[in-house]
Amino acid sequence: MIGADSRPAQKKHALQTLCDLCYTLQEDPGILVAIAAAGAIPPLVQLLGLYASDGNKLLSPDVEELLSPEDLQCFPVAALLALSENDDNTVSIAGAGAVPRVVQLLLPDAPSYMLEPAAALLYNLTRVNAEVAGTVIPAGAVPRLVLLLGPGSTPATQWQAAGVLELLSVHAGNRATVAAAGAIPMLVQLLGSGSSSEAQRSAAWALDHLSGDVANRATIAAAGAVPLLVQLLGPGSTGSVLVVAAAALANLAQNADNMVAIAAAGAIPLLVNLLGPGSSPDPDVEQCTAGFLSNLTIDDDQNTAAIVAAGGFSALVRLGARSTDPQTQAAIASFLSLFTPFEVAVAMRQDRQRA
């Protein structure tokens, strides 16, 4: 009923019913597979193109009366978003030509009821596999996604847009394109306290991936990322945000000037606190923090002294006694190798006295 030959009233009713069905039953994978198997995906993807790119005029005048712009934009995207919770369906959605059609919907002045599901659908399409992700940049998505990171977008839209850029930036070949589109300063802005934790996490991951390119590290720091990432190491952040903030800072610290800035921003005591007795044990946080603290000591006696002064010595020793992770153990061994047995004993005694 949602094919090209359907009457307008039938098309509208079918869209509403299918959208409601997908959302109501999206927790049942079997239903999503059955809907796709019934042939729903190709006509839904085609409906994404019924609305003109200028956002004002329908391409099919005969349906203008009964299918409002809101219907045409919202219903197909919402139904496809629900269907895309199944990975096989997502591949089929991409195969039906959805990526360029969804990208065309990503306009900063578009209503949130369309932008939020469209950005979420593009995220699902990007994450499903590398082949589909490879079609996102040629469709012109990056400049549109960068615009959606701005304060005019809803928190959900910012999160999804940052998430797509995060996924794209995993691949080294995409990083120059993402950076050239102006993504770095916009992603840095999302690290601030005014953003949702989801947007902060996706922005931090995207910056972490982008900092894998040496050329981007100074740019990210110049955009003000260091103090914002250090703030995310504080007690108000969740475990997943702590991990990515520490990972991004560790990448940035491979630049000598950035390492100085990270220490100056107060990162060392916050990193030590993540390993303290009052922290919640999280193997990922512990591994990343131990590695980062160890890296901060490379050819830097001042950072080493700051870690010891913050109680980091005993924190790392305690972590070494309980952790079975090889990377964590290697980082701790590297740190301890900087000290003689006498210095180890002195540092442990000083930490006990401070406690």
Side-chain angles (χ1 to χ4, degrees), residues 224-296:
V226 168
L228 293 173
L229 287 168
V230 169
Q231 285 181 9
L232 294 181
L233 297 176
S237 296
T238 62
S240 59
V241 172
L242 290 171
V243 170
V244 64
L249 285 167
N251 249 351
L252 292 175
Q254 295 180 58
N255 174 293
D257 291 337
N258 289 349
M259 182 180 288
V260 172
I262 289 166
I268 287 174
L270 291 174
L271 289 164
V272 171
N273 286 342
L274 296 181
L275 303 178
S279 62
S280 300
D282 183 317
D284 291 331
V285 173
E286 292 173 343
Q287 179 193 98
C288 192
T289 302
F292 192 9
L293 286 171
S294 178
N295 289 343
L296 285 172

Side-chain angles (χ1 to χ4, degrees), residues 297-349:
T297 64
I298 297 174
D299 298 325
D300 197 314
D301 293 340
Q302 187 173 350
N303 283 348
T304 303
I307 291 170
V308 173
F313 199 101
S314 59
L316 286 166
V317 169
R318 287 194 300 268
L319 175 59
R322 70 174 184 268
S323 175
T324 59
D325 178 70
Q327 293 184 43
T328 301
Q329 289 290 344
I332 295 170
S334 176
F335 175 78
L336 293 177
S337 70
L338 300 172
F339 303 89
T340 67
F342 175 76
E343 289 172 328
V344 170
V346 170
M348 292 294 291
R349 183 170 65 250

Side-chain angles (χ1 to χ4, degrees), residues 109-131:
D109 57 350
S112 61
Y113 63 74
M114 186 270 289
L115 271 180
E116 289 183 10
L121 176 56
L122 187 62
Y123 177 86
N124 285 350
L125 289 165
T126 306
R127 70 165 176 77
V128 70
N129 63 43
E131 183 178 354

Side-chain angles (χ1 to χ4, degrees), residues 6 44-45 53 63 69 83 85 88 90 92 106 131 144 169 174 179 188 205-206 223 250 303 307 322 325 331 336:
S6 300
L44 281 170
V45 171
S53 60
V63 298
L83 288 168
E85 293 303 314
D88 289 336
T90 307
S92 297
L106 300 179
E131 183 178 354
R144 291 172 181 254
S169 299
N174 294 338
V188 169
W205 273 126
N303 283 348
I307 291 170
R322 70 174 184 268
D325 178 70
L336 293 177

Side-chain angles (χ1 to χ4, degrees), residues 63-134:
V63 298
E64 187 167 356
E65 180 179 352
L66 289 176
L67 286 177
S68 68
E70 291 81 4
D71 294 336
L72 282 172
Q73 291 178 100
C74 185
F75 292 160
V77 177
L80 287 168
L81 175 60
L83 288 168
S84 70
E85 293 303 314
N86 175 283
D87 284 351
D88 289 336
N89 286 352
T90 307
V91 173
S92 297
I93 292 168
V99 169
R101 291 172 180 267
V102 174
V103 168
Q104 291 303 309
L105 297 176
L106 300 179
L107 299 169
D109 57 350
S112 61
Y113 63 74
M114 186 270 289
L115 271 180
E116 289 183 10
L121 176 56
L122 187 62
Y123 177 86
N124 285 350
L125 289 165
T126 306
R127 70 165 176 77
V128 70
N129 63 43
E131 183 178 354
V132 176

